[in-house]
Amino acid sequence: MVEVRPSGAVLGADILGVDLSQPISAAAFGAIRGAWMQHLVLRFRDQRLNDDQLMAFSASFGALDRNPRHARGELRTVEDSSAYVNVISNVVENGKAIGGLGNYESLWHTDMSYNAIPPMASALYALEIPPSGGDTGFCNMYAALESLPPTLRQRIAGLSCVHDSSLNSVGQLRVGFEEVTDPRKTPGAVHPLVRTHPVTGRACLFLGRRRNAYIPGLELAESEALLDTLWAHAVKPEHCWAQQWQVGDLIMWDNRCAMHRRDEFDGNARRVMHRTQISGDRPF
Ligand code: SIN
């Protein structure tokens, strides 16, 4: 039987009593999905998954996205991995990085929100973890919106924001992009600052990523000031929860209403994660 154990923070819950390497009954899947809508980020501990099993579980939520393009200098070399399993790792083998993001801090972001149709969700499975560091933080964007002062909430109603496609979450320039020097010219999708979750119907703040963001229609200085205010509010500790990894953890987050970030870690330690992404729909 599926047991849901909330983290006690404003998001995050452990799901117990499920072996994700095996097919899941409709009833158990319904309970998992319900818990996911309520807690935004689910953790399944002590799993033993190969890529096929990771993909099969992820695909029960929706169609999988193909791997995103990697930043300059990063080569994905795991030839036997599916096109749908992305390796997140600092490990270098035979002079080549086996995955993306290295050991750097990854700043708060929503996965691929620079696309017109960002993914609905991501699942991240831990194969090797460093002795310390590399924790992954999550932020509840419903709570971020609901706790905004009413005047600020009114001010952002109807406004949108450009989500930068030039840099990845650790600040590396993506292949084919130039460095942005004026946020009014930032490349990337424009999304509403407040979006409605298509399943829960609840409104949440949708910030995506701070670097090079811009609110069209505002003076640059006004846009910067408003974004700084919104970001400082959104990522307050009371809106957040952090995952400290164990090997065998699978974390699944709702990319529509939760942002995430990662602590840096010792580059001499190994961290190997396999990740899937589930297709989403256009934010509204
Ligand atoms: C990510 O931003 O998707 C990676 C998170 C992590 O490595 O913990």
Side-chain angles (χ1 to χ4, degrees), residues 211-269:
R211 278 188 284 224
N212 301 327
Y214 173 64
I215 301 176
L218 299 192
E219 293 295 328
L220 182 55
E222 201 186 351
S223 167
E224 290 289 310
L226 180 52
L227 286 169
D228 284 346
T229 302
L230 291 172
W231 274 93
H233 174 82
V235 300
K236 283 180 179 166
E238 60 263 37
H239 301 149
C240 301
W241 168 77
Q243 149 73 347
Q244 290 178 318
W245 291 93
Q246 295 178 9
V247 170
D249 281 355
L250 182 137
I251 287 263
M252 179 154 184
W253 62 86
D254 189 331
N255 200 46
R256 299 164 291 194
C257 53
M259 293 198 300
H260 59 286
R261 64 170 297 280
R262 182 187 78 189
D263 290 337
E264 65 181 342
F265 57 95
D266 179 0
N268 295 316

Side-chain angles (χ1 to χ4, degrees), residues 88 101 106 109 111 124 134 136 169 245 253 260 262 271 273 275:
I88 304 292
L101 302 185
S106 152
H109 66 284
D111 285 328
L124 190 61
T136 306
S169 64
W245 291 93
W253 62 86
H260 59 286
R262 182 187 78 189
R271 188 177 189 268
M273 325 286 275
R275 198 181 111 135

Side-chain angles (χ1 to χ4, degrees), residues 19-22 48-59 250:
D19 177 354
L20 300 180
S21 69
Q22 301 299 315
R48 292 290 173 268
L49 301 178
N50 60 32
D51 283 347
D52 287 341
Q53 291 159 337
L54 173 61
M55 285 192 298
F57 174 65
S58 309
L250 182 137

